Amino acid sequence: MAARDLHELPRFGDGVSFLYLEHCRLEQDDKSVAAWGEGGVTHIPAAALAALLLGPGTVITHAAMKTLAESGTSVVWTGEQAVRTYASGTGETRSSRNLLRQAWLVSHETARLEVVSRMYRMRFPGPLPADLTLQQIRGMEGARVRDAYAAAAGQFGVEWTGRSYGRGSWDSSDPVNRALSTANSCLYGLCHAAIVSLGYSPALGFIHTGKQLSFVYDIADLYKVEITVPAAFRMAGEGSENLERRVRLALRDRMTEARLLERVPGDIANVLNVPLEEEDPYAGDFARPADLWEPARGTENQTLPPVAGEGPF
């Protein structure tokens, strides 16, 4: 793709949040993508779509996947109702600058604590005392989330006995917990798409750690009380018929109202304290070779250290 064409693509914040599909076949359709299923054909605005969530029974052609990749659409393969993520495609950035910055921050304890503090403080409407410990902020966050659940339950007339999700049996959960799980999974898909699109790693989390989606959970937690909790409780209060589908539609509307796509890139830049807009040096040529790493000035002529376990053969 020419540099001119790439720069004409919509930015992440200008697109449609997400689209969930299941039991259909996706093929290239002219310069875009279309899905064929029992209900007919659905044309997908690939260049304006942030995340495409592919559920069970979906088949996608090589040409369609290539078109989505060139459009900057993140493709995420999920389980039923968009719950659980199995794999994902690449985003549109080709620079590793943001990833290297993220890796440095997560590897230095003082810098990591500063990022964690910013992530927690962003969730509260007003400033918090500067001398709070991490444990104190986590306690306040737990109370904030519990209050949000209770308030939503009262507002929408939903019986609430606590957050519970049976991973081995989806139908064993009550409607409001299924609604929350569905909404959160879609939010994860959107945050995953933003993270990959901006060149960060979903695995290098600051609050969460140890999973390939740790950073996705970090970013999604900034928005759950505002975005997924109201949508899930409202849909659960209206009944359980077609619940998961209604939750996805309500969540997409809520994301649009909250201008979430425009906010996520800026919020990530804010918590990591990095410039929001930086030119991708590889944008004009995807196949351009990477630069060579150079050691710090004055050390380039030092003898390389031995590698443990290396022998003459």
Side-chain angles (χ1 to χ4, degrees):
M1 178 179 291
R4 179 182 63 82
D5 296 330
L6 180 68
H7 291 301
E8 287 176 354
L9 293 176
R11 295 179 305 155
F12 181 84
D14 297 330
V16 181
S17 56
F18 69 90
L19 176 65
Y20 172 77
L21 297 173
E22 61 181 27
H23 302 293
C24 63
R25 178 180 177 84
L26 287 88
E27 297 182 358
Q28 184 178 10
D29 181 44
D30 195 12
K31 294 183 179 181
S32 189
V33 175
W36 277 263
E38 292 183 358
V41 59
T42 300
H43 295 278
I44 299 172
L49 183 62
L52 178 61
L53 311 182
L54 299 181
T58 51
V59 177
I60 185 168
T61 66
H62 182 280
M65 190 65 219
K66 180 175 181 289
T67 298
L68 291 166
E70 290 177 342
S71 299
T73 300
S74 288
V75 181
V76 183
W77 285 263
T78 75
E80 189 175 5
Q81 305 299 349
V83 179
R84 297 185 185 178
T85 296
Y86 300 129
S88 64
T90 60
E92 60 184 310
T93 184
R94 296 301 183 270
S95 172
S96 63
R97 179 167 37 208
N98 285 342
L99 173 58
L100 293 174
R101 170 70 174 174
Q102 180 187 9
W104 186 92
L105 289 170
V106 83
S107 302
H108 293 76
E109 187 165 312
T110 300
R112 183 171 185 165
L113 281 170
E114 291 175 355
V115 173
V116 169
S117 178
R118 283 194 290 269
M119 284 182 170
Y120 277 124
R121 292 172 183 274
M122 280 182 63
R123 308 180 196 186
F124 293 89
L128 299 178
D131 59 349
L132 288 177
T133 66
L134 178 58
Q135 289 73 23
Q136 288 173 324
I137 295 180
R138 281 178 170 166
M140 295 173 62
E141 168 64 2
R144 183 184 77 100
V145 173
R146 289 191 296 272
D147 290 346
Y149 284 146
Q155 178 181 358
F156 299 109
V158 175
E159 182 180 357
W160 175 248
T161 58
R163 186 73 174 103
S164 175
Y165 167 45
R167 291 184 298 167
S169 179
W170 175 256
D171 293 330
S172 66
S173 299
D174 58 30
V176 68
N177 271 288
R178 295 205 312 274
L180 282 167
S181 295
T182 298
N184 287 339
S185 292
C186 293
L187 178 62
Y188 294 152
L190 175 65
C191 293
H192 193 161
I195 289 166
V196 173
S197 176
L198 297 169
Y200 296 104
S201 168
L204 297 182
F206 293 83
I207 295 175
H208 296 85
T209 188
K211 288 194 69 174
Q212 287 291 331
L213 296 178
S214 295
F215 193 48
V216 175
Y217 302 147
D218 281 356
I219 299 304
D221 280 354
L222 300 176
Y223 311 109
K224 284 182 179 177
V225 166
E226 174 192 359
I227 303 295
T228 64
V229 172
F233 274 84
R234 179 163 63 89
M235 292 298 100
E238 294 179 2
S240 58
E241 185 175 357
N242 295 323
L243 177 62
E244 289 81 1
R245 181 177 185 275
R246 291 191 292 108
V247 168
R248 290 195 298 271
L249 294 175
L251 188 66
R252 221 163 38 222
D253 291 342
R254 181 74 187 110
M255 287 177 173
T256 301
E257 294 169 1
R259 306 180 73 87
L260 190 61
L261 266 75
E262 299 176 25
R263 293 164 49 190
V264 173
D267 287 343
I268 293 176
N270 181 41
V271 297
L272 299 185
N273 195 26
V274 298
L276 179 58
E277 296 286 351
E278 284 190 314
E279 183 181 354
D280 184 346
Y282 304 99
D285 183 1
F286 288 176
R288 171 188 161 187
D291 297 328
L292 297 178
W293 173 74
E294 293 290 345
R297 185 179 297 275
T299 64
E300 62 269 21
N301 294 321
Q302 291 183 2
T303 302
L304 291 176
V307 178
E310 269 197 356
F313 302 105

